[in-house]
Amino acid sequence: MNALTRCLETYWSSSIGKKLVVAITGLFLVLFIAGHLIGNLVVFLGAEPFNAYAYFLHHMLHGVGIWLFRAVMLVMLGTHILATISLTLQNSSARKPYEFQTTIQATLWSRTMIYSGLMILAFFVYHMLHFTVRFSNEYNNKALYETFTLPGVEGHVHNAWKMVIDGFSWWPASLVYIIAMTLLCAHLSHGVGSIFQTLGFRSKKAATLVQHVSIGYSLIVWLGFVSIPIAILFFGFGH
């Protein structure tokens, strides 16, 4: 075992090291969620802009870019989950009986972060199977979905816009999505503030501002994501 390996092992075994890992990977995921939301909202611009956006994503760096990003995303998500679980177990084993009273001052969401995180992970797997792997649906049926033409692109491209409309037209999928986004944003409302605190940007003077930023960001994310299934399912958008 060389010096670098020993250093990394020592860093990982400390609670401070794990908190920093959780914060850095969490920051990456928070930024990803913002970017993903912006991309998803393009659906409201219509079929051509959304399909052009989807075509660009899947052809970045000759198709390699999307897979590189997915690999980085999975590493960040996996590391975030692993560090969070390890930190939770470490804190639980170190907690003394008389410290229990302090936990009642914490919010419900802060005390259940690990559980909401695991439920979000379950939804992430479902979401990937639904729209990325396209398991147990007809989204890979070329006769139904590879029917759209884009200016400057030869042949037909996958109609991702129709896929989203059809996906959220099925009410169970929309319900699962809305519940998952509610859990995600509850998770973010505490998680964003924790990132600021771990990285040293949350002082006593800035605590109120950080709290407002966390709640505001979470609310914007929630409204943005749930607006899509609600518009499709209840207002007939895209039909």
Side-chain angles (χ1 to χ4, degrees):
M1 185 181 295
N2 57 40
L4 178 59
T5 304
R6 289 196 300 271
C7 180
L8 291 174
E9 184 178 349
T10 301
Y11 185 79
W12 174 258
S13 63
S14 68
S15 60
I16 295 177
K18 288 189 182 72
K19 285 180 180 179
L20 190 57
V21 170
V22 170
I24 293 174
T25 54
L27 179 60
F28 174 89
L29 295 172
V30 165
L31 294 175
F32 164 76
I33 289 169
H36 190 53
L37 172 61
I38 293 170
N40 281 11
L41 290 177
V42 177
V43 74
F44 288 117
L45 299 180
E48 185 172 314
F50 190 78
N51 285 331
Y53 165 71
Y55 181 85
F56 166 75
L57 287 182
H58 286 86
H59 290 79
M60 287 189 304
L61 301 176
H62 303 286
V64 177
I66 187 69
W67 289 104
L68 288 175
F69 183 80
R70 284 171 178 168
V72 172
M73 176 68 185
L74 288 173
V75 169
M76 288 291 181
L77 181 61
T79 304
H80 185 77
I81 294 169
L82 181 62
T84 301
I85 292 174
S86 180
L87 184 63
T88 301
L89 293 174
Q90 186 176 15
N91 290 342
S92 179
S93 63
R95 188 177 295 123
K96 298 176 183 179
Y98 64 79
E99 292 176 331
F100 173 77
Q101 293 298 325
T102 62
T103 64
I104 63 174
Q105 299 176 3
T107 65
L108 171 64
W109 291 116
S110 67
R111 287 185 281 120
T112 57
M113 286 286 282
I114 185 68
Y115 304 110
S116 62
L118 290 174
M119 286 187 281
I120 292 166
L121 174 62
F123 167 76
F124 175 78
V125 173
Y126 163 78
H127 194 54
M128 292 288 287
L129 289 173
H130 189 197
F131 283 127
T132 302
V133 179
R134 301 166 189 169
F135 176 76
S136 190
N137 54 49
E138 293 189 287
Y139 300 155
N140 282 321
N141 188 329
K142 293 185 178 181
L144 292 176
Y145 290 96
E146 199 162 317
T147 57
F148 200 84
T149 56
L150 284 174
V153 178
E154 185 178 349
H156 292 95
V157 301
H158 191 79
N159 196 339
W161 188 81
K162 174 177 167 58
M163 189 176 71
V164 172
I165 301 301
D166 290 348
F168 287 128
S169 294
W170 187 51
W171 74 262
S174 288
L175 179 62
V176 168
Y177 189 85
I178 291 170
I179 292 173
M181 290 304 101
T182 302
L183 287 171
L184 171 64
C185 293
H187 192 85
L188 287 173
S189 67
H190 176 75
V192 172
S194 297
I195 292 172
F196 277 97
Q197 183 172 349
T198 301
L199 297 180
F201 297 118
R202 183 174 180 172
S203 62
K204 288 184 178 181
K205 291 183 178 180
T208 301
L209 176 61
V210 168
Q211 183 180 17
H212 289 163
V213 168
S214 300
I215 295 174
Y217 174 80
S218 303
L219 183 59
I220 290 171
V221 168
W222 185 81
L223 288 172
F225 278 123
V226 302
S227 67
I228 299 172
I230 287 175
I232 294 169
L233 193 63
F234 296 105
F235 296 98
F237 175 76
H239 295 286

